[in-house]
PDB file of all heavy atoms in Angstrom:
ATOM      1  N   VAL A   1      -3.087  13.926 -13.797  1.00 95.00           N
ATOM      2  CA  VAL A   1      -1.967  12.978 -13.847  1.00 95.00           C
ATOM      3  C   VAL A   1      -0.655  13.789 -13.782  1.00 95.00           C
ATOM      4  O   VAL A   1      -0.620  14.944 -14.197  1.00 95.00           O
ATOM      5  CB  VAL A   1      -1.975  12.139 -15.147  1.00 95.00           C
ATOM      6  CG1 VAL A   1      -3.178  11.148 -15.096  1.00 95.00           C
ATOM      7  CG2 VAL A   1      -2.076  13.001 -16.378  1.00 95.00           C
ATOM      8  N   THR A   2       0.379  13.131 -13.260  1.00 93.00           N
ATOM      9  CA  THR A   2       1.674  13.797 -13.079  1.00 93.00           C
ATOM     10  C   THR A   2       2.801  12.894 -13.450  1.00 93.00           C
ATOM     11  O   THR A   2       2.824  11.716 -13.065  1.00 93.00           O
ATOM     12  CB  THR A   2       1.825  14.266 -11.590  1.00 93.00           C
ATOM     13  OG1 THR A   2       0.737  15.069 -11.230  1.00 93.00           O
ATOM     14  CG2 THR A   2       3.127  15.020 -11.411  1.00 93.00           C
ATOM     15  N   MET A   3       3.771  13.389 -14.226  1.00 96.00           N
ATOM     16  CA  MET A   3       4.975  12.638 -14.520  1.00 96.00           C
ATOM     17  C   MET A   3       5.978  12.830 -13.364  1.00 96.00           C
ATOM     18  O   MET A   3       5.790  13.632 -12.459  1.00 96.00           O
ATOM     19  CB  MET A   3       5.571  13.119 -15.835  1.00 96.00           C
ATOM     20  CG  MET A   3       4.708  12.901 -17.025  1.00 96.00           C
ATOM     21  SD  MET A   3       4.296  11.132 -17.349  1.00 96.00           S
ATOM     22  CE  MET A   3       5.868  10.537 -17.968  1.00 96.00           C
ATOM     23  N   ASN A   4       7.014  12.025 -13.436  1.00 96.00           N
ATOM     24  CA  ASN A   4       8.083  12.073 -12.414  1.00 96.00           C
ATOM     25  C   ASN A   4       8.806  13.408 -12.426  1.00 96.00           C
ATOM     26  O   ASN A   4       9.101  13.986 -13.495  1.00 96.00           O
ATOM     27  CB  ASN A   4       9.069  10.928 -12.617  1.00 96.00           C
ATOM     28  CG  ASN A   4       9.418  10.725 -14.048  1.00 96.00           C
ATOM     29  OD1 ASN A   4       8.591  10.336 -14.876  1.00 96.00           O
ATOM     30  ND2 ASN A   4      10.665  11.034 -14.422  1.00 96.00           N
ATOM     31  N   ARG A   5       9.184  13.925 -11.259  1.00 94.00           N
ATOM     32  CA  ARG A   5       9.838  15.224 -11.159  1.00 94.00           C
ATOM     33  C   ARG A   5      11.321  15.143 -11.428  1.00 94.00           C
ATOM     34  O   ARG A   5      12.006  16.156 -11.401  1.00 94.00           O
ATOM     35  CB  ARG A   5       9.584  15.806  -9.758  1.00 94.00           C
ATOM     36  CG  ARG A   5       8.185  16.204  -9.490  1.00 94.00           C
ATOM     37  CD  ARG A   5       8.047  17.206  -8.362  1.00 94.00           C
ATOM     38  NE  ARG A   5       6.673  17.591  -8.161  1.00 94.00           N
ATOM     39  CZ  ARG A   5       5.926  17.295  -7.145  1.00 94.00           C
ATOM     40  NH1 ARG A   5       6.503  16.572  -6.161  1.00 94.00           N
ATOM     41  NH2 ARG A   5       4.713  17.689  -7.026  1.00 94.00           N
ATOM     42  N   SER A   6      11.841  13.951 -11.643  1.00 94.00           N
ATOM     43  CA  SER A   6      13.288  13.786 -11.949  1.00 94.00           C
ATOM     44  C   SER A   6      13.445  12.459 -12.619  1.00 94.00           C
ATOM     45  O   SER A   6      12.586  11.550 -12.486  1.00 94.00           O
ATOM     46  CB  SER A   6      14.107  13.853 -10.604  1.00 94.00           C
ATOM     47  OG  SER A   6      15.421  13.401 -10.845  1.00 94.00           O
ATOM     48  N   LEU A   7      14.511  12.274 -13.372  1.00 92.00           N
ATOM     49  CA  LEU A   7      14.860  10.981 -13.930  1.00 92.00           C
ATOM     50  C   LEU A   7      15.770  10.172 -13.051  1.00 92.00           C
ATOM     51  O   LEU A   7      16.121   9.055 -13.359  1.00 92.00           O
ATOM     52  CB  LEU A   7      15.466  11.143 -15.348  1.00 92.00           C
ATOM     53  CG  LEU A   7      14.489  11.618 -16.396  1.00 92.00           C
ATOM     54  CD1 LEU A   7      15.259  11.908 -17.711  1.00 92.00           C
ATOM     55  CD2 LEU A   7      13.407  10.595 -16.666  1.00 92.00           C
ATOM     56  N   SER A   8      16.254  10.794 -11.931  1.00 92.00           N
ATOM     57  CA  SER A   8      17.186  10.129 -11.089  1.00 92.00           C
ATOM     58  C   SER A   8      16.911  10.228  -9.606  1.00 92.00           C
ATOM     59  O   SER A   8      17.491   9.501  -8.793  1.00 92.00           O
ATOM     60  CB  SER A   8      18.644  10.671 -11.343  1.00 92.00           C
ATOM     61  OG  SER A   8      18.695  12.036 -11.072  1.00 92.00           O
ATOM     62  N   ASP A   9      15.941  11.107  -9.225  1.00 93.00           N
ATOM     63  CA  ASP A   9      15.649  11.289  -7.757  1.00 93.00           C
ATOM     64  C   ASP A   9      14.209  11.701  -7.568  1.00 93.00           C
ATOM     65  O   ASP A   9      13.912  12.601  -6.742  1.00 93.00           O
ATOM     66  CB  ASP A   9      16.622  12.299  -7.188  1.00 93.00           C
ATOM     67  CG  ASP A   9      16.643  12.273  -5.645  1.00 93.00           C
ATOM     68  OD1 ASP A   9      16.258  11.200  -5.071  1.00 93.00           O
ATOM     69  OD2 ASP A   9      16.946  13.287  -5.027  1.00 93.00           O
ATOM     70  N   ALA A  10      13.284  11.069  -8.229  1.00 95.00           N
ATOM     71  CA  ALA A  10      11.883  11.439  -8.174  1.00 95.00           C
ATOM     72  C   ALA A  10      11.232  10.755  -6.960  1.00 95.00           C
ATOM     73  O   ALA A  10      11.366   9.522  -6.795  1.00 95.00           O
ATOM     74  CB  ALA A  10      11.179  11.078  -9.468  1.00 95.00           C
ATOM     75  N   THR A  11      10.464  11.513  -6.208  1.00 96.00           N
ATOM     76  CA  THR A  11       9.704  10.978  -5.054  1.00 96.00           C
ATOM     77  C   THR A  11       8.275  11.445  -5.082  1.00 96.00           C
ATOM     78  O   THR A  11       7.670  11.693  -4.008  1.00 96.00           O
ATOM     79  CB  THR A  11      10.386  11.321  -3.740  1.00 96.00           C
ATOM     80  OG1 THR A  11      10.492  12.774  -3.654  1.00 96.00           O
ATOM     81  CG2 THR A  11      11.791  10.752  -3.584  1.00 96.00           C
ATOM     82  N   ASN A  12       7.698  11.623  -6.271  1.00 96.00           N
ATOM     83  CA  ASN A  12       6.325  12.020  -6.363  1.00 96.00           C
ATOM     84  C   ASN A  12       5.444  11.008  -7.048  1.00 96.00           C
ATOM     85  O   ASN A  12       4.462  11.338  -7.714  1.00 96.00           O
ATOM     86  CB  ASN A  12       6.222  13.345  -7.131  1.00 96.00           C
ATOM     87  CG  ASN A  12       6.632  13.220  -8.603  1.00 96.00           C
ATOM     88  OD1 ASN A  12       7.583  12.486  -8.914  1.00 96.00           O
ATOM     89  ND2 ASN A  12       5.948  13.941  -9.501  1.00 96.00           N
ATOM     90  N   GLY A  13       5.810   9.717  -6.902  1.00 97.00           N
ATOM     91  CA  GLY A  13       5.023   8.646  -7.467  1.00 97.00           C
ATOM     92  C   GLY A  13       3.857   8.257  -6.593  1.00 97.00           C
ATOM     93  O   GLY A  13       3.510   8.943  -5.608  1.00 97.00           O
ATOM     94  N   GLY A  14       3.247   7.147  -6.956  1.00 97.00           N
ATOM     95  CA  GLY A  14       2.097   6.696  -6.155  1.00 97.00           C
ATOM     96  C   GLY A  14       2.554   6.119  -4.854  1.00 97.00           C
ATOM     97  O   GLY A  14       3.647   5.554  -4.714  1.00 97.00           O
ATOM     98  N   GLU A  15       1.654   6.192  -3.833  1.00 97.00           N
ATOM     99  CA  GLU A  15       2.030   5.751  -2.493  1.00 97.00           C
ATOM    100  C   GLU A  15       1.943   4.222  -2.383  1.00 97.00           C
ATOM    101  O   GLU A  15       1.069   3.596  -2.983  1.00 97.00           O
ATOM    102  CB  GLU A  15       1.047   6.372  -1.511  1.00 97.00           C
ATOM    103  CG  GLU A  15       1.382   6.079  -0.049  1.00 97.00           C
ATOM    104  CD  GLU A  15       0.438   6.792   0.936  1.00 97.00           C
ATOM    105  OE1 GLU A  15      -0.444   7.554   0.447  1.00 97.00           O
ATOM    106  OE2 GLU A  15       0.618   6.614   2.150  1.00 97.00           O
ATOM    107  N   ASP A  16       2.887   3.663  -1.635  1.00 97.00           N
ATOM    108  CA  ASP A  16       2.905   2.204  -1.403  1.00 97.00           C
ATOM    109  C   ASP A  16       2.010   1.881  -0.243  1.00 97.00           C
ATOM    110  O   ASP A  16       1.842   2.700   0.692  1.00 97.00           O
ATOM    111  CB  ASP A  16       4.338   1.702  -1.182  1.00 97.00           C
ATOM    112  CG  ASP A  16       5.244   1.977  -2.331  1.00 97.00           C
ATOM    113  OD1 ASP A  16       4.745   2.303  -3.428  1.00 97.00           O
ATOM    114  OD2 ASP A  16       6.476   1.817  -2.202  1.00 97.00           O
ATOM    115  N   HIS A  17       1.502   0.668  -0.182  1.00 98.00           N
ATOM    116  CA  HIS A  17       0.594   0.227   0.847  1.00 98.00           C
ATOM    117  C   HIS A  17       0.957  -1.171   1.380  1.00 98.00           C
ATOM    118  O   HIS A  17       1.323  -2.061   0.603  1.00 98.00           O
ATOM    119  CB  HIS A  17      -0.882   0.246   0.368  1.00 98.00           C
ATOM    120  CG  HIS A  17      -1.332   1.525  -0.226  1.00 98.00           C
ATOM    121  ND1 HIS A  17      -1.774   2.552   0.512  1.00 98.00           N
ATOM    122  CD2 HIS A  17      -1.383   1.963  -1.494  1.00 98.00           C
ATOM    123  CE1 HIS A  17      -2.108   3.582  -0.271  1.00 98.00           C
ATOM    124  NE2 HIS A  17      -1.864   3.262  -1.483  1.00 98.00           N
ATOM    125  N   PHE A  18       0.797  -1.404   2.668  1.00 98.00           N
ATOM    126  CA  PHE A  18       0.907  -2.698   3.258  1.00 98.00           C
ATOM    127  C   PHE A  18      -0.494  -3.143   3.761  1.00 98.00           C
ATOM    128  O   PHE A  18      -1.267  -2.319   4.220  1.00 98.00           O
ATOM    129  CB  PHE A  18       1.866  -2.682   4.397  1.00 98.00           C
ATOM    130  CG  PHE A  18       3.289  -2.572   4.034  1.00 98.00           C
ATOM    131  CD1 PHE A  18       3.857  -1.308   3.723  1.00 98.00           C
ATOM    132  CD2 PHE A  18       4.129  -3.732   3.886  1.00 98.00           C
ATOM    133  CE1 PHE A  18       5.188  -1.241   3.349  1.00 98.00           C
ATOM    134  CE2 PHE A  18       5.425  -3.617   3.507  1.00 98.00           C
ATOM    135  CZ  PHE A  18       5.976  -2.321   3.222  1.00 98.00           C
ATOM    136  N   PHE A  19      -0.719  -4.428   3.682  1.00 98.00           N
ATOM    137  CA  PHE A  19      -1.942  -5.018   4.180  1.00 98.00           C
ATOM    138  C   PHE A  19      -1.596  -6.125   5.148  1.00 98.00           C
ATOM    139  O   PHE A  19      -1.047  -7.162   4.786  1.00 98.00           O
ATOM    140  CB  PHE A  19      -2.768  -5.569   3.010  1.00 98.00           C
ATOM    141  CG  PHE A  19      -3.317  -4.498   2.109  1.00 98.00           C
ATOM    142  CD1 PHE A  19      -2.520  -4.010   1.110  1.00 98.00           C
ATOM    143  CD2 PHE A  19      -4.560  -3.927   2.274  1.00 98.00           C
ATOM    144  CE1 PHE A  19      -2.950  -2.972   0.208  1.00 98.00           C
ATOM    145  CE2 PHE A  19      -5.014  -2.926   1.469  1.00 98.00           C
ATOM    146  CZ  PHE A  19      -4.220  -2.447   0.439  1.00 98.00           C
ATOM    147  N   ARG A  20      -1.910  -5.951   6.415  1.00 98.00           N
ATOM    148  CA  ARG A  20      -1.657  -6.899   7.439  1.00 98.00           C
ATOM    149  C   ARG A  20      -2.864  -7.819   7.620  1.00 98.00           C
ATOM    150  O   ARG A  20      -3.996  -7.386   7.811  1.00 98.00           O
ATOM    151  CB  ARG A  20      -1.355  -6.209   8.762  1.00 98.00           C
ATOM    152  CG  ARG A  20      -0.751  -7.163   9.855  1.00 98.00           C
ATOM    153  CD  ARG A  20      -0.469  -6.428  11.113  1.00 98.00           C
ATOM    154  NE  ARG A  20      -1.702  -6.056  11.843  1.00 98.00           N
ATOM    155  CZ  ARG A  20      -2.375  -6.844  12.656  1.00 98.00           C
ATOM    156  NH1 ARG A  20      -1.994  -8.111  12.806  1.00 98.00           N
ATOM    157  NH2 ARG A  20      -3.443  -6.406  13.226  1.00 98.00           N
ATOM    158  N   TRP A  21      -2.593  -9.140   7.512  1.00 98.00           N
ATOM    159  CA  TRP A  21      -3.689 -10.131   7.557  1.00 98.00           C
ATOM    160  C   TRP A  21      -4.357 -10.120   8.934  1.00 98.00           C
ATOM    161  O   TRP A  21      -3.698 -10.141   9.944  1.00 98.00           O
ATOM    162  CB  TRP A  21      -3.110 -11.513   7.262  1.00 98.00           C
ATOM    163  CG  TRP A  21      -4.116 -12.609   7.019  1.00 98.00           C
ATOM    164  CD1 TRP A  21      -4.590 -12.967   5.826  1.00 98.00           C
ATOM    165  CD2 TRP A  21      -4.713 -13.444   8.033  1.00 98.00           C
ATOM    166  NE1 TRP A  21      -5.488 -14.024   5.960  1.00 98.00           N
ATOM    167  CE2 TRP A  21      -5.588 -14.335   7.330  1.00 98.00           C
ATOM    168  CE3 TRP A  21      -4.620 -13.582   9.363  1.00 98.00           C
ATOM    169  CZ2 TRP A  21      -6.303 -15.319   7.943  1.00 98.00           C
ATOM    170  CZ3 TRP A  21      -5.356 -14.552  10.040  1.00 98.00           C
ATOM    171  CH2 TRP A  21      -6.204 -15.373   9.310  1.00 98.00           C
ATOM    172  N   THR A  22      -5.711 -10.069   8.915  1.00 98.00           N
ATOM    173  CA  THR A  22      -6.437 -10.108  10.180  1.00 98.00           C
ATOM    174  C   THR A  22      -7.438 -11.225  10.274  1.00 98.00           C
ATOM    175  O   THR A  22      -7.959 -11.502  11.346  1.00 98.00           O
ATOM    176  CB  THR A  22      -7.196  -8.765  10.423  1.00 98.00           C
ATOM    177  OG1 THR A  22      -8.052  -8.505   9.302  1.00 98.00           O
ATOM    178  CG2 THR A  22      -6.185  -7.575  10.538  1.00 98.00           C
ATOM    179  N   GLY A  23      -7.732 -11.915   9.161  1.00 97.00           N
ATOM    180  CA  GLY A  23      -8.673 -13.039   9.287  1.00 97.00           C
ATOM    181  C   GLY A  23      -9.059 -13.556   7.874  1.00 97.00           C
ATOM    182  O   GLY A  23      -8.924 -12.852   6.869  1.00 97.00           O
ATOM    183  N   GLY A  24      -9.556 -14.781   7.871  1.00 96.00           N
ATOM    184  CA  GLY A  24     -10.012 -15.357   6.645  1.00 96.00           C
ATOM    185  C   GLY A  24     -10.965 -16.516   6.961  1.00 96.00           C
ATOM    186  O   GLY A  24     -10.965 -17.082   8.060  1.00 96.00           O
ATOM    187  N   SER A  25     -11.810 -16.861   5.992  1.00 94.00           N
ATOM    188  CA  SER A  25     -12.725 -17.954   6.181  1.00 94.00           C
ATOM    189  C   SER A  25     -12.896 -18.732   4.873  1.00 94.00           C
ATOM    190  O   SER A  25     -12.706 -18.143   3.774  1.00 94.00           O
ATOM    191  CB  SER A  25     -14.082 -17.457   6.652  1.00 94.00           C
ATOM    192  OG  SER A  25     -14.658 -16.563   5.712  1.00 94.00           O
ATOM    193  N   ALA A  26     -13.209 -19.999   4.996  1.00 91.00           N
ATOM    194  CA  ALA A  26     -13.427 -20.848   3.816  1.00 91.00           C
ATOM    195  C   ALA A  26     -14.957 -21.000   3.581  1.00 91.00           C
ATOM    196  O   ALA A  26     -15.758 -20.183   4.038  1.00 91.00           O
ATOM    197  CB  ALA A  26     -12.740 -22.188   4.024  1.00 91.00           C
ATOM    198  N   GLY A  27     -15.368 -22.117   2.966  1.00 87.00           N
ATOM    199  CA  GLY A  27     -16.713 -22.325   2.745  1.00 87.00           C
ATOM    200  C   GLY A  27     -17.237 -21.860   1.379  1.00 87.00           C
ATOM    201  O   GLY A  27     -16.452 -21.342   0.594  1.00 87.00           O
ATOM    202  N   PRO A  28     -18.521 -21.949   1.148  1.00 87.00           N
ATOM    203  CA  PRO A  28     -19.095 -21.561  -0.183  1.00 87.00           C
ATOM    204  C   PRO A  28     -18.930 -20.076  -0.450  1.00 87.00           C
ATOM    205  O   PRO A  28     -18.977 -19.687  -1.616  1.00 87.00           O
ATOM    206  CB  PRO A  28     -20.584 -21.930  -0.046  1.00 87.00           C
ATOM    207  CG  PRO A  28     -20.838 -22.054   1.420  1.00 87.00           C
ATOM    208  CD  PRO A  28     -19.556 -22.467   2.044  1.00 87.00           C
ATOM    209  N   LYS A  29     -18.778 -19.248   0.609  1.00 91.00           N
ATOM    210  CA  LYS A  29     -18.537 -17.844   0.359  1.00 91.00           C
ATOM    211  C   LYS A  29     -17.236 -17.464   1.101  1.00 91.00           C
ATOM    212  O   LYS A  29     -17.224 -16.840   2.168  1.00 91.00           O
ATOM    213  CB  LYS A  29     -19.696 -17.003   0.937  1.00 91.00           C
ATOM    214  CG  LYS A  29     -21.014 -17.191   0.136  1.00 91.00           C
ATOM    215  CD  LYS A  29     -22.092 -16.287   0.658  1.00 91.00           C
ATOM    216  CE  LYS A  29     -23.392 -16.449  -0.152  1.00 91.00           C
ATOM    217  NZ  LYS A  29     -24.475 -15.546   0.377  1.00 91.00           N
ATOM    218  N   PRO A  30     -16.089 -17.790   0.557  1.00 95.00           N
ATOM    219  CA  PRO A  30     -14.822 -17.546   1.211  1.00 95.00           C
ATOM    220  C   PRO A  30     -14.578 -16.020   1.338  1.00 95.00           C
ATOM    221  O   PRO A  30     -15.067 -15.247   0.554  1.00 95.00           O
ATOM    222  CB  PRO A  30     -13.774 -18.191   0.258  1.00 95.00           C
ATOM    223  CG  PRO A  30     -14.435 -18.228  -1.074  1.00 95.00           C
ATOM    224  CD  PRO A  30     -15.873 -18.448  -0.763  1.00 95.00           C
ATOM    225  N   ALA A  31     -13.816 -15.690   2.393  1.00 97.00           N
ATOM    226  CA  ALA A  31     -13.602 -14.254   2.655  1.00 97.00           C
ATOM    227  C   ALA A  31     -12.192 -14.075   3.257  1.00 97.00           C
ATOM    228  O   ALA A  31     -11.601 -15.036   3.792  1.00 97.00           O
ATOM    229  CB  ALA A  31     -14.614 -13.736   3.599  1.00 97.00           C
ATOM    230  N   VAL A  32     -11.646 -12.858   3.155  1.00 98.00           N
ATOM    231  CA  VAL A  32     -10.411 -12.569   3.792  1.00 98.00           C
ATOM    232  C   VAL A  32     -10.428 -11.089   4.184  1.00 98.00           C
ATOM    233  O   VAL A  32     -11.103 -10.231   3.556  1.00 98.00           O
ATOM    234  CB  VAL A  32      -9.226 -12.816   2.827  1.00 98.00           C
ATOM    235  CG1 VAL A  32      -9.245 -11.915   1.617  1.00 98.00           C
ATOM    236  CG2 VAL A  32      -7.879 -12.762   3.549  1.00 98.00           C
ATOM    237  N   ALA A  33      -9.715 -10.741   5.280  1.00 98.00           N
ATOM    238  CA  ALA A  33      -9.724  -9.387   5.807  1.00 98.00           C
ATOM    239  C   ALA A  33      -8.298  -8.942   6.111  1.00 98.00           C
ATOM    240  O   ALA A  33      -7.483  -9.736   6.592  1.00 98.00           O
ATOM    241  CB  ALA A  33     -10.603  -9.257   7.033  1.00 98.00           C
ATOM    242  N   TYR A  34      -8.004  -7.663   5.808  1.00 98.00           N
ATOM    243  CA  TYR A  34      -6.711  -7.102   6.077  1.00 98.00           C
ATOM    244  C   TYR A  34      -6.848  -5.733   6.724  1.00 98.00           C
ATOM    245  O   TYR A  34      -7.848  -5.042   6.518  1.00 98.00           O
ATOM    246  CB  TYR A  34      -5.900  -6.936   4.775  1.00 98.00           C
ATOM    247  CG  TYR A  34      -5.467  -8.221   4.080  1.00 98.00           C
ATOM    248  CD1 TYR A  34      -6.362  -8.816   3.146  1.00 98.00           C
ATOM    249  CD2 TYR A  34      -4.296  -8.808   4.403  1.00 98.00           C
ATOM    250  CE1 TYR A  34      -5.964  -9.990   2.552  1.00 98.00           C
ATOM    251  CE2 TYR A  34      -3.902 -10.018   3.772  1.00 98.00           C
ATOM    252  CZ  TYR A  34      -4.754 -10.564   2.851  1.00 98.00           C
ATOM    253  OH  TYR A  34      -4.402 -11.747   2.237  1.00 98.00           O
ATOM    254  N   GLN A  35      -5.828  -5.372   7.449  1.00 98.00           N
ATOM    255  CA  GLN A  35      -5.735  -3.989   7.983  1.00 98.00           C
ATOM    256  C   GLN A  35      -4.804  -3.249   7.007  1.00 98.00           C
ATOM    257  O   GLN A  35      -3.656  -3.581   6.819  1.00 98.00           O
ATOM    258  CB  GLN A  35      -5.118  -3.971   9.333  1.00 98.00           C
ATOM    259  CG  GLN A  35      -4.906  -2.538   9.923  1.00 98.00           C
ATOM    260  CD  GLN A  35      -4.139  -2.551  11.230  1.00 98.00           C
ATOM    261  OE1 GLN A  35      -3.543  -3.581  11.606  1.00 98.00           O
ATOM    262  NE2 GLN A  35      -4.068  -1.413  11.874  1.00 98.00           N
ATOM    263  N   LYS A  36      -5.304  -2.205   6.375  1.00 97.00           N
ATOM    264  CA  LYS A  36      -4.572  -1.397   5.429  1.00 97.00           C
ATOM    265  C   LYS A  36      -3.634  -0.390   6.167  1.00 97.00           C
ATOM    266  O   LYS A  36      -4.120   0.348   7.030  1.00 97.00           O
ATOM    267  CB  LYS A  36      -5.471  -0.678   4.495  1.00 97.00           C
ATOM    268  CG  LYS A  36      -4.787   0.242   3.466  1.00 97.00           C
ATOM    269  CD  LYS A  36      -5.827   0.682   2.399  1.00 97.00           C
ATOM    270  CE  LYS A  36      -5.310   1.846   1.548  1.00 97.00           C
ATOM    271  NZ  LYS A  36      -5.216   3.114   2.312  1.00 97.00           N
ATOM    272  N   LEU A  37      -2.353  -0.463   5.884  1.00 95.00           N
ATOM    273  CA  LEU A  37      -1.349   0.393   6.563  1.00 95.00           C
ATOM    274  C   LEU A  37      -0.724   1.352   5.519  1.00 95.00           C
ATOM    275  O   LEU A  37      -0.143   0.820   4.564  1.00 95.00           O
ATOM    276  CB  LEU A  37      -0.308  -0.416   7.244  1.00 95.00           C
ATOM    277  CG  LEU A  37      -0.803  -1.514   8.253  1.00 95.00           C
ATOM    278  CD1 LEU A  37       0.358  -2.348   8.746  1.00 95.00           C
ATOM    279  CD2 LEU A  37      -1.489  -0.805   9.437  1.00 95.00           C
ATOM    280  N   ASP A  38      -0.777   2.613   5.742  1.00 90.00           N
ATOM    281  CA  ASP A  38      -0.261   3.587   4.753  1.00 90.00           C
ATOM    282  C   ASP A  38       0.970   4.385   5.301  1.00 90.00           C
ATOM    283  O   ASP A  38       1.509   5.181   4.573  1.00 90.00           O
ATOM    284  CB  ASP A  38      -1.346   4.605   4.380  1.00 90.00           C
ATOM    285  CG  ASP A  38      -2.561   3.936   3.731  1.00 90.00           C
ATOM    286  OD1 ASP A  38      -2.353   2.862   3.064  1.00 90.00           O
ATOM    287  OD2 ASP A  38      -3.679   4.463   3.886  1.00 90.00           O
ATOM    288  N   ASP A  39       1.358   4.157   6.552  1.00 90.00           N
ATOM    289  CA  ASP A  39       2.431   4.992   7.148  1.00 90.00           C
ATOM    290  C   ASP A  39       3.640   4.150   7.517  1.00 90.00           C
ATOM    291  O   ASP A  39       4.418   4.531   8.372  1.00 90.00           O
ATOM    292  CB  ASP A  39       1.908   5.708   8.385  1.00 90.00           C
ATOM    293  CG  ASP A  39       1.355   4.746   9.430  1.00 90.00           C
ATOM    294  OD1 ASP A  39       1.219   3.565   9.101  1.00 90.00           O
ATOM    295  OD2 ASP A  39       1.019   5.190  10.544  1.00 90.00           O
ATOM    296  N   VAL A  40       3.822   3.004   6.841  1.00 97.00           N
ATOM    297  CA  VAL A  40       4.930   2.114   7.159  1.00 97.00           C
ATOM    298  C   VAL A  40       6.259   2.719   6.709  1.00 97.00           C
ATOM    299  O   VAL A  40       7.270   2.651   7.418  1.00 97.00           O
ATOM    300  CB  VAL A  40       4.735   0.742   6.547  1.00 97.00           C
ATOM    301  CG1 VAL A  40       5.919  -0.126   6.796  1.00 97.00           C
ATOM    302  CG2 VAL A  40       3.475   0.076   7.202  1.00 97.00           C
ATOM    303  N   LEU A  41       6.284   3.329   5.521  1.00 97.00           N
ATOM    304  CA  LEU A  41       7.507   3.825   4.928  1.00 97.00           C
ATOM    305  C   LEU A  41       7.553   5.345   4.873  1.00 97.00           C
ATOM    306  O   LEU A  41       6.479   5.956   4.717  1.00 97.00           O
ATOM    307  CB  LEU A  41       7.653   3.251   3.527  1.00 97.00           C
ATOM    308  CG  LEU A  41       7.589   1.764   3.330  1.00 97.00           C
ATOM    309  CD1 LEU A  41       7.716   1.404   1.884  1.00 97.00           C
ATOM    310  CD2 LEU A  41       8.683   1.049   4.169  1.00 97.00           C
ATOM    311  N   PRO A  42       8.688   5.976   4.995  1.00 94.00           N
ATOM    312  CA  PRO A  42       8.747   7.443   4.838  1.00 94.00           C
ATOM    313  C   PRO A  42       8.390   7.827   3.382  1.00 94.00           C
ATOM    314  O   PRO A  42       8.514   7.016   2.457  1.00 94.00           O
ATOM    315  CB  PRO A  42      10.222   7.758   5.117  1.00 94.00           C
ATOM    316  CG  PRO A  42      10.969   6.476   4.886  1.00 94.00           C
ATOM    317  CD  PRO A  42      10.007   5.385   5.254  1.00 94.00           C
ATOM    318  N   ASP A  43       7.907   9.074   3.216  1.00 92.00           N
ATOM    319  CA  ASP A  43       7.425   9.507   1.881  1.00 92.00           C
ATOM    320  C   ASP A  43       8.415   9.357   0.793  1.00 92.00           C
ATOM    321  O   ASP A  43       8.052   8.989  -0.327  1.00 92.00           O
ATOM    322  CB  ASP A  43       6.974  10.970   1.972  1.00 92.00           C
ATOM    323  CG  ASP A  43       5.572  11.107   2.606  1.00 92.00           C
ATOM    324  OD1 ASP A  43       4.960  10.085   2.889  1.00 92.00           O
ATOM    325  OD2 ASP A  43       5.154  12.246   2.808  1.00 92.00           O
ATOM    326  N   ASP A  44       9.745   9.577   1.040  1.00 92.00           N
ATOM    327  CA  ASP A  44      10.712   9.538  -0.024  1.00 92.00           C
ATOM    328  C   ASP A  44      10.921   8.134  -0.529  1.00 92.00           C
ATOM    329  O   ASP A  44      11.449   7.946  -1.607  1.00 92.00           O
ATOM    330  CB  ASP A  44      12.020  10.206   0.397  1.00 92.00           C
ATOM    331  CG  ASP A  44      12.707   9.442   1.527  1.00 92.00           C
ATOM    332  OD1 ASP A  44      11.965   8.754   2.298  1.00 92.00           O
ATOM    333  OD2 ASP A  44      13.936   9.524   1.628  1.00 92.00           O
TER     334      ASP A  44
END
């Protein structure tokens, strides 16, 4: 585990993620699918 490298300009936290919707279904066994995107935002 790692604490923040600064109290005012830390950029070593956990990475953010986007999930783009690609499909879903209803019924007795509902489901949903996403494309996971990890490179949307710059690291800082």
Side-chain angles (χ1 to χ4, degrees):
V1 290
T2 303
M3 296 300 287
N4 43 292
R5 291 200 178 112
S6 168
L7 289 174
S8 59
D9 194 24
T11 57
N12 67 321
E15 186 176 0
D16 298 347
H17 305 277
F18 288 83
F19 293 85
R20 192 179 72 82
W21 192 92
T22 57
S25 61
K29 294 183 178 180
V32 66
Y34 293 90
Q35 178 189 11
K36 179 171 167 286
L37 304 174
D38 299 330
D39 57 352
V40 174
L41 305 178
D43 279 356
D44 64 334

